[in-house]
């Protein structure tokens, strides 16, 4: 346990370094900001990507191994506590107990123990009795599984860390844009997805999107195997790969003529296409075209009420031309180049995630909740009783143990004795 605490403190220190040192920058940044030898230390310990560094992963592995060793070492003794019990047969066992009481009952030893059994069961104790040479023995307990709570919380951390590492090593993430009607292969997944339809629900102002939906068809081996409408927080999962609705936008269809050679293209809004030499073209889609008082183009709404396409012609890093045109109108770009924007479609942006360790993480989370429930709500209480026959009745003694519920145990023992002795 001490080793685990030390490892946690060291991991916390490394995490603090990850907060102080900017993450994910190129080597030149650290060379300039920290100097050569400090930058060398940062690169060696991979402090520019702390949570993927060998030192952090090594500490995580050692912590997991320490917790797992704790679970293995403690399992058998704790399980024996849950599955076994013993009677207290000597009178000396009832003197000096953490909680106890004794008295005289005018009933027989058997009747007295029967009264104790009934009282324990009313209080939801598990009860066992034995009789030997006229003496009666009782053992009762409740909440015996509570002793496993800390063990399960340890094991849950092991599973959560193991699941996270498994996802980090075997999983992957990505992003793909799919225009309406197009089929795009999902990287590393072994299947493709077609976007059959895309729609947006707006709030009452007609401008603010409330939710957006993509109708997807999964295609594997040339066959349509599954279809579903997804939305934000309602993804599609197929063969362990989850597709999340992440974004949307416009795709502009067009035709480019270069010295008599025709090329069709479908270009996402505000992305560039190379033309000839160092010429590049960047289209900008305006769904509901308008011009502000300063003469700047824009869109009054996200709905395609009055669509126009603006285009920026770049030569190297210099803007050679900018204008706005209607759909279907040929635009001469000079030097034998001509472009016509023929239409527009919406595309959906899908986030791709394959997390094979998620079931392990969920199992660990469930064990964590179960362990915490056992720790806080199943506090073990044990009661032993001995009834010895005597003239006119029997002597009855009770003792108990409840490290985390002593007051409640003492109350139970006093009430049980009063019920058994009739006092």
């Amino acid at each position: 346990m001490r080793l685990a605490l030390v490892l946690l403190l060291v991991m916390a220190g490394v995490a603090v370094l990850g907060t102080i040192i900017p993450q994910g920058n190129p080597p030149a940044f650290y060379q300039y900001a920290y100097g050569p030898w400090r930058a060398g230390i940062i690169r060696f310990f991979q402090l520019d990507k702390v949570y993927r560094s060998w030192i952090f992963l090594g500490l995580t592995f050692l912590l997991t191994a320490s917790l797992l060793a704790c679970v293995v070492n403690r399992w058998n003794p704790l399980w024996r506590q849950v599955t076994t019990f013993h009677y207290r047969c000597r009178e000396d066992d009832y003197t000096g107990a953490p909680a106890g009481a004794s008295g005289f009952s005018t009933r027989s030893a058997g009747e007295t123990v029967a009264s104790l059994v009934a009282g324990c069961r009313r209080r939801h104790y598990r009860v066992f009795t034995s009789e030997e040479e006229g003496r009666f023995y009782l053992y009762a307990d409740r909440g015996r599984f509570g002793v496993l709570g800390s063990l399960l919380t340890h094991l849950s951390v092991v599973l959560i860390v193991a699941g996270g590492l498994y996802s980090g090593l075997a999983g992957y993430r990505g992003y793909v844009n799919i225009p309406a009607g197009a089929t795009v292969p999902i990287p590393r997944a072994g299947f493709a997805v077609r976007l059959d339809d895309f729609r947006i629900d707006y709030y009452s102002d007609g401008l603010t999107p409330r939710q957006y939906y993509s109708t997807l068809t999964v295609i594997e081996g040339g066959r349509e195997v599954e279809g579903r409408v997804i939305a934000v927080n309602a993804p599609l999962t197929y063969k362990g790969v989850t597709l999340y609705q992440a974004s949307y936008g416009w795709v502009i269809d067009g035709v480019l003529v270069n010295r008599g050679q025709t090329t069709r293209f479908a270009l996402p809004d505000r992305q560039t296409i190379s033309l000839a030499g160092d010429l590049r073209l960047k289209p900008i889609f305006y769904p509901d075209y308008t011009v502000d008082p300063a003469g700047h183009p824009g869109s009054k709404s996200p709905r395609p009420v009055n669509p126009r396409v603006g285009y920026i012609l770049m030569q190297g890093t210099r803007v050679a031309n900018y204008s706005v045109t209607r759909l279907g109108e040929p635009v001469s770009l000079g030097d034998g180049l001509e472009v016509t924007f023929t239409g527009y479609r919406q595309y959906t942006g899908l986030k791709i995630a394959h997390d094979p360790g998620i079931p392990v993480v969920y199992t660990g989370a469930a064990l964590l909740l179960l362990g915490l429930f056992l720790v806080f709500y199943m506090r073990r209480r044990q009661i032993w009783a001995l009834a010895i026959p005597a003239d006119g009745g029997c002597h009855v003694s009770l003792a108990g143990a409840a490290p985390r519920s002593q007051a409640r145990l003492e109350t139970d023992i006093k009430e049980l004795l009063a019920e058994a002795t009739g006092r």
Side-chain angles (χ1 to χ4, degrees), residues 95-301:
T95 59
S102 61
F104 185 83
S105 172
T106 56
R107 291 181 285 185
S108 68
E111 291 174 336
T112 300
V113 168
S115 173
L116 290 173
V117 169
C120 287
R121 286 176 175 165
R122 283 197 303 272
R123 292 166 175 82
H124 308 292
Y125 282 81
R126 181 183 63 148
V127 185
F128 299 91
T129 59
S130 178
E131 185 268 335
E132 186 176 332
E133 298 180 355
R135 292 187 169 199
F136 287 84
Y137 309 99
L138 176 144
Y139 171 80
D141 68 6
R142 60 176 293 176
R144 67 188 189 278
F145 289 104
V147 299
L148 298 178
S150 63
L151 199 68
L152 292 181
T153 55
H154 283 68
L155 183 59
S156 70
V157 175
V158 173
L159 290 177
I160 291 170
V161 172
L165 289 175
Y166 182 36
S167 286
L169 295 173
Y172 56 85
R173 297 180 183 275
Y175 197 91
V176 65
N177 292 330
I178 308 178
T183 301
V184 174
I186 303 301
R188 301 175 61 181
F191 61 85
V193 170
R194 184 181 69 229
L195 177 62
D196 298 317
D197 185 41
F198 180 85
R199 64 184 178 86
I200 303 175
D201 284 347
Y202 293 92
Y203 285 101
S204 57
D205 61 5
L207 301 176
T208 307
R210 179 171 55 188
Q211 181 64 283
Y212 39 104
Y213 306 89
S214 297
T215 304
L216 303 178
T217 299
V218 178
I219 301 173
E220 185 177 22
R223 296 183 303 108
E224 298 181 0
V225 294
E226 186 172 346
R228 186 177 303 176
V229 178
I230 71 169
V232 177
N233 298 325
L236 179 150
T237 300
Y238 181 73
K239 288 191 172 181
V241 179
T242 302
L243 305 177
Y244 297 93
Q245 181 70 71
S247 65
Y248 63 93
W250 296 96
V251 170
I252 303 165
D253 296 316
V255 177
L256 176 66
V257 180
N258 184 2
R259 301 183 185 277
Q261 185 176 355
T262 300
T263 304
R264 294 187 176 274
F265 64 86
L267 194 64
D269 181 31
R270 300 176 188 271
Q271 291 194 13
T272 59
I273 182 174
S274 296
L275 302 176
D278 61 349
L279 285 177
R280 292 175 295 123
L281 185 70
K282 180 180 181 179
I284 302 173
F285 184 67
Y286 301 109
D288 192 5
Y289 179 69
T290 186
V291 178
D292 65 18
H296 300 136
S299 185
K300 290 187 292 185
S301 74

